[in-house]
Each structure stands twice: as structure tokens, then as C-alpha cells.
């Protein structure tokens, strides 16, 4: 079986901490109206928590799904400021990003915590999008595979049944928000490594997205790579036309 053909492309917008009600409304409206232009592709946006209900209202009945940018590992309880997976499911979220490099770096999230969050998301019926990626210093030191392996270890330890229900995203930290994209060949090399890990676990069908300064102008060459199944898009997801052009690439 050619699993590459069975992996439908997935493009997820990560709005990060951008947007207010009015700007979101026009973005969501544009997505609702324009998304059918990219029929070969699953399309989603991960919005800030307060706007989940707005995303649900604005995207209901469209082909675009929605999700959150983080999730608590806890089910419920005295965890001030945290948002549980059940709460996300309550807003019909399909996705939860976990382990984005900004969470790992700015909020001290460990590899184990990221795996715990992935399990919490799965338990509530969400698909976790587990992000991994090395820093510039690590890349320059030739540590990329070592870092990815370390970040993935507690996730892969969850076993094929769980990992088979996830999406992974390779986001080299040096390419996020910097305008500096990995070349398609550079990205493919890391994706092939991640694929070998997934193959080893018996889940070759898991989608592996690329993220880091993805734009309409570079999306097609990235998507042409055999192990790149889509993109996690930050800045360019805030502009409807640009985001839809990436999805159509
Ligand atoms: P960027 O962000 O597309 O703005 O580089 C990607 C991400 O952090 O998910």
C-alpha cells in the first residue's frame, strides 16, 4: 500500500495570540466562503481560547474545522488558568496543538508534559497536533535527529494505538516567524526521519506537518516532498487569501 497516497493533506492555521472579535469575524467569514477552493485538503484553524465559540459559530457548516493552541494535562480541578480537553470538546474542537516551541521555550513545557497533554486531548476525542523541532544552535551542532528523538520519545512510548490517532508537526525553531524556511530537502530529511520512527511503531499513516514561515510562495515545493503531509501555518494564516492559497498549493 502506498501510504503517501492515503494521507490526506492537512493545513492548520495557528493564530497564536492574534485577533480580536472584529478581525476574527472577517477572517472566519473569508475562510467559510473560500475554503471549498481547496477540496483535496483538510483545513483547520487553532484560535485563542476566548474565540473558540466565535470560530464554532463562524465555521459551522463549512469544511474548516477548529481547535485550540494548548490544552491542560488535567481533567479538571484547581488549576487556575488552565483549559481542559473536555472544555475544548464542549466547543466542538477537533484539534489541540501540544508542545508548540513557544510553549516549550516560554512556559517550560517538558517532553513528558507534552505527551501527557496529547493523551488528555485524545481522551476527550480531540486530535493532538504534537509539535517538535530543534533550535538553530542544535541544528548547527548537528543535533537535529537527536533532539527530535528525545522530544518524541515519551509520545511514541504511548504506543501505536494512541500515536495512530495523532498528527505530528515538525517546526524547526529557527524557521518560526523568522521568514527563514527550511528548504524542502532539509525539511524532507527530518520528515523522513520522523516517518521512520512512525514506521517502526507500525503507524505509517500518521500525518506529519511542516511548520515555520510557510507561505503561498513556498507551500507547493514543501508539499511536493513525499513525507510532508501539510503545514502548520502561523503568520500567513492571518490573511485569508494567503492561507487559502497555501491550502490550494
Ligand atoms: P510561522 O509560525 O508560520 O509564523 O513561522 C508557525 C508556527 O509557529 O506554528
Amino acid at each position: 500500500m502506498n501510504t503517501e497516497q492515503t494521507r490526506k493533506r492537512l493545513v492548520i492555521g495557528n493564530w497564536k495570540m492574534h485577533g480580536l472579535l472584529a478581525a476574527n469575524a472577517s477572517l472566519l467569514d473569508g475562510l467559510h466562503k473560500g475554503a471549498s477552493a481547496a477540496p483535496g485538503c483538510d483545513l483547520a484553524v487553532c484560535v485563542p481560547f476566548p474565540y473558540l465559540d466565535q470560530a464554532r459559530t463562524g465555521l459551522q457548516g463549512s469544511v474548516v474545522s477548529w481547535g485550540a493552541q494548548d490544552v491542560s494535562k488535567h481533567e479538571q480541578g484547581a488549576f487556575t488558568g488552565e483549559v481542559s480537553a473536555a472544555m475544548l470538546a464542549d466547543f466542538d474542537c477537533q484539534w489541540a496543538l501540544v508542545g508548540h516551541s513557544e510553549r516549550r521555550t516560554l512556559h517550560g513545557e517538558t517532553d513528558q508534559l507534552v505527551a501527557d497533554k496529547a493523551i488528555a486531548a485524545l481522551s476527550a476525542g480531540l486530535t493532538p497536533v504534537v509539535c517538535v523541532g530543534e533550535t538553530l544552535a542544535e541544528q548547527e551542532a548537528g543535533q537535529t535527529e537527536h533532539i527530535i528523538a528525545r522530544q518524541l520519545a515519551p509520545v511514541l512510548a504511548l504506543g501505536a494505538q494512541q500515536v495512530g490517532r495523532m498528527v505530528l508537526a515538525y517546526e524547526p525553531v529557527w524557521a518560526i516567524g523568522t521568514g527563514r524556511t527550511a528548504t524542502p530537502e532539509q525539511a524532507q530529511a527530518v520528515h523522513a526521519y520522523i516517518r521512520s520512527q512512525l514506521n517502526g511503531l507500525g503507524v505509517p499513516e500518521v500525518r506529519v506537518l511542516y511548520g515555520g514561515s510557510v507561505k503561498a510562495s513556498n507551500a507547493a515545493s514543501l508539499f511536493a516532498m513525499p513525507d510532508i503531509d501539510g503545514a502548520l501555518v502561523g503568520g500567513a494564516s492571518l490573511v485569508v487569501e494567503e492561507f487559502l492559497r497555501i491550502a490550494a498549493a
Side-chain angles (χ1 to χ4, degrees):
M1 183 181 60
N2 184 347
T3 50
E4 193 190 322
Q5 280 167 2
T6 65
R7 298 194 302 264
K8 190 175 181 192
R9 186 167 303 151
L10 169 64
V11 174
I12 301 180
N14 172 13
W15 288 6
K16 307 196 180 187
M17 200 173 75
H18 293 291
L20 295 168
L21 285 171
N24 299 345
S26 69
L27 191 45
L28 293 167
D29 185 52
L31 288 176
H32 195 142
K33 288 182 178 141
S36 44
C41 174
D42 288 332
L43 206 52
V45 286
C46 288
V47 308
F49 293 130
Y51 300 118
L52 284 173
D53 192 45
Q54 188 187 19
R56 172 167 67 167
T57 308
L59 296 174
Q60 220 146 38
S62 82
V63 296
V64 187
S65 53
W66 56 94
Q69 299 168 14
D70 185 28
V71 63
S72 176
K73 74 167 185 174
H74 302 286
E75 238 173 87
Q76 61 171 327
F79 302 104
T80 301
E82 297 258 297
V83 175
S84 75
M87 293 171 184
L88 301 183
D90 226 6
F91 287 91
D92 302 318
C93 285
Q94 191 171 330
W95 314 95
L97 305 184
V98 297
H100 189 281
S101 66
E102 287 149 21
R103 302 287 323 166
R104 290 178 189 263
T105 310
L106 304 172
H107 301 272
E109 295 198 2
T110 63
D111 302 328
Q112 185 57 52
L113 176 60
V114 172
D116 293 345
K117 289 183 171 197
I119 277 292
L122 284 174
S123 308
L126 307 172
T127 301
V129 180
V130 180
C131 305
V132 296
E134 82 287 6
T135 64
L136 182 60
E138 290 161 346
Q139 191 228 23
E140 286 175 347
Q143 295 274 296
T144 300
E145 285 190 7
H146 171 75
I147 296 296
I148 305 292
R150 194 208 70 208
Q151 292 174 333
L152 280 180
V155 175
L156 298 180
L158 298 170
Q161 217 192 330
Q162 308 287 8
V163 178
R165 296 154 64 208
M166 299 180 187
V167 166
L168 303 185
Y170 169 57
E171 297 204 307
V173 177
W174 47 269
I176 294 177
T178 57
R180 217 184 126 179
T181 330
T183 65
E185 293 72 23
Q186 258 177 325
Q188 166 58 26
V190 181
H191 279 240
Y193 172 71
I194 295 172
R195 184 76 56 205
S196 73
Q197 303 281 305
L198 293 169
N199 288 344
L201 198 62
V203 287
E205 73 281 7
V206 168
R207 292 186 280 191
V208 185
L209 311 183
Y210 172 77
S213 299
V214 175
K215 306 181 274 279
S217 57
N218 60 23
S221 57
L222 288 162
F223 295 163
M225 296 292 127
D227 291 302
I228 298 182
D229 305 315
L232 183 54
V233 184
S237 72
L238 300 171
V239 182
V240 179
E241 300 73 24
E242 182 77 8
F243 187 56
L244 292 177
R245 278 170 58 212
I246 292 170

